Amino acid sequence: DALFVVGEPDVALMVVPDPGGTGCRCVLQRDDGDGRHRYRFSSRCHWQRLADHFSDRRPLLVVDHQKAQPGVLEKIWEPSDGSAAILPVIGQESTLLAVLIAGRFERHAFSSADVRSLAGFASQVALALDHARLLRETVESERRKRELEIARDLQINLLPAEPPAIAGLDIADRSEPATEVGGDYFDYLPLEGRRLAVVVGDVAGHGMPAGLL
């Protein structure tokens, strides 16, 4: 809704890269209400081509769809009459996060001031997408941290709580993994004839896979 306040387009579309491949997917699409004027998203869109096209980070203004040269446009939508402003949404490290398309039914409908306003809106979208990514990464990091804590507790419970008390022997043990979960293991096995077997294992590697093994 903010886009329609800032740029006052009649129709709008935003595409982002497909997480599962090199294509694109539509995450926002607004038409004029009756469905007769809309951008028809094309699954033929290739994200890397879009990234290369907008490597200079500059908006693209199409003053007349009917006279637009073939190229990146047909990879995004099948246009109707009118004009459009196409804006790259650039995130951190100059990464293309999304492509925002604002269209009007009239030809030559976008002024330089309109494009600047839409570019400012695209910058705000980039900030929001970056923040959302950081939030996802934080949540994922906390989840992994909790999993490591559970794995550490499980591993500690596998080790002897204390060494056995045997007359004539002074036994001490300690296991301190370099990370949250290690691959070291030891145990004591009482044998006949007042004998004691000490089992020591060291799994190759470190971290959760070694610890669980």
Side-chain angles (χ1 to χ4, degrees), residues 73-124:
L73 303 181
E74 62 186 6
K75 301 298 183 182
I76 303 177
W77 79 87
E78 300 169 4
S80 58
D81 292 336
S83 52
I86 310 170
L87 303 109
V89 178
I90 307 296
Q92 295 180 354
E93 300 180 357
S94 299
T95 303
L96 181 65
L97 303 178
V99 175
L100 182 65
I101 307 162
R104 291 178 180 167
F105 302 148
E106 300 83 8
R107 302 172 184 176
H108 302 270
F110 288 94
S111 65
S112 298
D114 292 332
V115 176
R116 286 195 297 269
S117 297
L118 289 169
F121 177 80
S123 297
Q124 296 300 314

Side-chain angles (χ1 to χ4, degrees), residues 2-3 33 39 46 51 68 83 91-92 109 133 160 170 172 200 205:
L3 171 62
Y39 290 126
H46 192 283
S83 52
Q92 295 180 354
R133 176 184 57 82
D170 186 8
V200 178

Side-chain angles (χ1 to χ4, degrees), residues 9-90:
D10 296 313
V11 289
L13 177 71
M14 186 167 73
V15 295
V16 298
D18 186 351
T22 59
C24 312
R25 61 189 178 96
C26 177
V27 294
L28 179 151
Q29 184 165 324
R30 287 280 297 271
D31 56 30
D32 62 345
D34 60 11
R36 291 181 299 174
H37 297 86
R38 60 179 300 207
Y39 290 126
R40 296 171 177 84
F41 174 69
S42 173
S43 60
R44 296 173 299 171
C45 170
H46 192 283
W47 185 255
Q48 187 56 51
R49 292 176 184 171
L50 290 180
D52 294 340
H53 186 86
F54 291 107
S55 59
D56 58 0
R57 308 175 65 171
R58 297 174 57 186
L60 176 63
L61 182 61
V62 181
V63 298
D64 186 347
H65 281 183
Q66 296 298 324
K67 296 180 180 180
Q69 295 294 324
V72 69
L73 303 181
E74 62 186 6
K75 301 298 183 182
I76 303 177
W77 79 87
E78 300 169 4
S80 58
D81 292 336
S83 52
I86 310 170
L87 303 109
V89 178
I90 307 296

Side-chain angles (χ1 to χ4, degrees), residues 150-199:
I150 294 174
R152 179 182 176 90
D153 292 341
L154 290 174
Q155 185 184 44
I156 290 176
N157 290 332
L158 291 176
L159 300 178
E162 58 183 19
I166 298 179
L169 294 178
D170 186 8
I171 304 175
D173 59 51
R174 179 175 178 176
S175 176
E176 191 72 28
T179 57
E180 289 84 351
V181 181
D184 297 332
Y185 173 79
F186 67 90
D187 200 358
Y188 305 100
L189 301 177
L191 302 176
E192 297 180 355
R194 299 182 60 188
R195 295 179 301 164
L196 178 68
V198 180
V199 179

